Amino acid sequence: MPDIADHSPDGGPEPDAAPDAVADNAPDAAPDAAPDVEPEAPPAPLLELRDGLPDVVDTDAGLLEACAALAGATGPTAIDAERASGYRYSNRAYLIQLRREGAGTWLVDPIGMSTLAPLQEALAGSEWILHAATQDLPCLREVGLTPTSLFDTELAGRLLGYPRVGLATLVETVLGQRMRKEHSAADWSTRPLPESWLEYAALDVEVLLELREHMATELERAGKTEWARQEFENLLGFEPAVRVDAWRRTSGVHRLRGRRALGAARALWEARDEIAAERDVTPGRILPDSAIVVAATAMPTDRRALLATQGFHGRGASRYAATWVEALRRVREMDEDDLPTRAPRGEGPPHPRTWAEREPVADRRFKAAREAMLNLAEVHHLPVENLLTPDYLRRLMWAPPATREPAELAEAVRAQLASYGARAWQAELVTGALVGAILGAERE
């Protein structure tokens, strides 16, 4: 490119112009000048503990002291639990963090406690603030802790349309503070727990009280307070889904060919699961999914062949080789009728990709309804899956109510959605669009 000093602003030559003068008057910066770059915003301040790191409560006497402090405090209780996902088979809580106005933060180690009943009593009548409540409610219930009311900051973030609802992201976005993330995948069954881990755990509840207040105000401003109330009330009865044929979720099992290979994968998965439960170790640490798939493909007949199979590895590959060989032997001797099929017939409708050929009207209903749900979700600034559970939409569009009188159909649609578990606010928002999809598909 020619030097800008040799050209006028409109492109004509200016041989007599001084380079400095041209540089001072030219509307564009010289090619070798540094481009204007917005200075990076300084990072948000790192969140620090306000009251210092409390001692871990790990005795019944210490628990009673914590309970007295929490019972005498006011307002909602921030609560969190740390599990050892990725390390342990169980979903138990290895540390429970609590914070309440007037009581400060308490870190409770439930492992050595005879009972946490005094803690449940101390929290009676207090709203619990959790983040991603469905992750913590089962392990808290396991130790006898159950809320009577709650506020889920993650779910509130979804209802408010935040694109990312992780705790650290919300804290930085809403409160302008930065959280540490380095211990999120730690093995919380470790004893003693390192001080840096405990500080990380305490910070998780440090911010929940303030975050709840900000988000409650936003929900009120957005007209979504009642939506949140219904969602939070629904969470009180949350139970984890019981997976049927959980072995089918083995990574790579879709590559297996033939029912006997599927049977081998099932047998190896079940044997691994039994060992993992007995040892309280996450199954993948005993034998990875990839090893199950290669063994189910090769079907080795003895220990030597099994251990020589390329890709068969893991801590338990050799240690439990006899177990794996025996599982494969049983599968080889099974009758064909006892082996699993590729895709078992489940409850509910078939996959929507098959509807166009099998039930064209249902296919039109579903596509129209799905488009309407996407539009409604955009209008109300929330994820479409929070507007209406996708499975509810599929079930309704596959088998809608029989009536086609609009008012009766709307009432029947609301009742059918309620029978699936949809909340009243969801049914109120989506019923009109779903009725339109049902009627419109049949007119076509």
Side-chain angles (χ1 to χ4, degrees), residues 82-84 88 90-95 110-111 139 142-143 280:
E82 303 295 349
R83 301 175 304 282
R88 297 291 180 177
S90 66
N91 194 43
R92 72 187 302 179
Y94 284 95
L95 186 72
I111 301 304
C139 69
E142 185 181 349
V143 293
D280 193 18

Side-chain angles (χ1 to χ4, degrees), residues 115-319:
T115 177
L116 292 185
L119 185 55
Q120 175 70 20
E121 184 178 347
L123 300 179
S126 166
E127 175 192 83
W128 292 16
I129 309 170
L130 301 105
H131 187 82
T134 56
Q135 296 183 24
D136 289 339
L137 286 173
C139 69
L140 292 171
R141 188 181 296 123
E142 185 181 349
V143 293
L145 300 179
T146 305
T148 54
S149 67
L150 63 83
F151 188 106
D152 185 337
T153 51
E154 185 205 47
L155 185 47
R158 291 181 180 275
L159 294 176
L160 289 167
Y162 282 93
R164 297 172 60 201
V165 292
L167 180 58
T169 302
L170 284 179
V171 167
E172 188 160 351
T173 303
V174 177
L175 304 182
Q177 294 181 292
R178 186 162 44 94
M179 297 185 72
R180 295 180 172 89
K181 304 176 185 179
E182 62 267 27
H183 302 308
S184 58
D187 179 4
W188 290 91
S189 64
T190 301
R191 292 297 182 273
L193 287 166
E195 185 173 305
S196 61
W197 296 17
L198 294 171
E199 183 176 353
Y200 166 90
L203 286 169
D204 275 357
V205 291
E206 183 90 19
V207 292
L208 285 180
L209 296 174
E210 187 178 356
L211 185 61
R212 181 239 185 268
E213 292 308 309
H214 278 264
M215 304 196 85
T217 300
E218 287 191 53
L219 288 167
E220 183 68 31
R221 190 181 301 126
K224 296 179 177 180
T225 297
E226 177 59 19
W227 299 6
R229 187 196 67 76
Q230 292 180 30
E231 290 298 311
F232 299 158
E233 184 176 348
N234 182 67
L235 280 176
L236 294 174
F238 171 77
E239 293 285 350
V242 177
R243 298 195 181 279
V244 178
D245 286 349
W247 65 270
R248 291 184 182 275
R249 295 177 61 83
T250 304
S251 179
V253 75
H254 64 281
R255 298 196 299 269
L256 295 176
R257 297 291 176 263
R259 294 178 65 179
R260 205 159 298 277
L262 288 174
R266 179 180 65 182
L268 292 169
W269 186 96
E270 290 173 348
R272 181 186 69 172
D273 196 65
E274 185 177 340
I275 295 169
E278 182 180 346
R279 293 186 54 203
D280 193 18
V281 176
T282 193
R285 288 181 169 263
I286 293 172
L287 194 69
D289 284 3
S290 59
I292 288 180
V293 172
V294 298
T297 301
M299 293 291 287
T301 58
D302 56 39
R303 175 189 173 93
R304 176 178 296 179
L306 176 70
L307 297 181
T309 300
Q310 186 175 4
F312 190 80
H313 66 282
R315 295 181 182 180
S318 175
R319 180 177 180 180

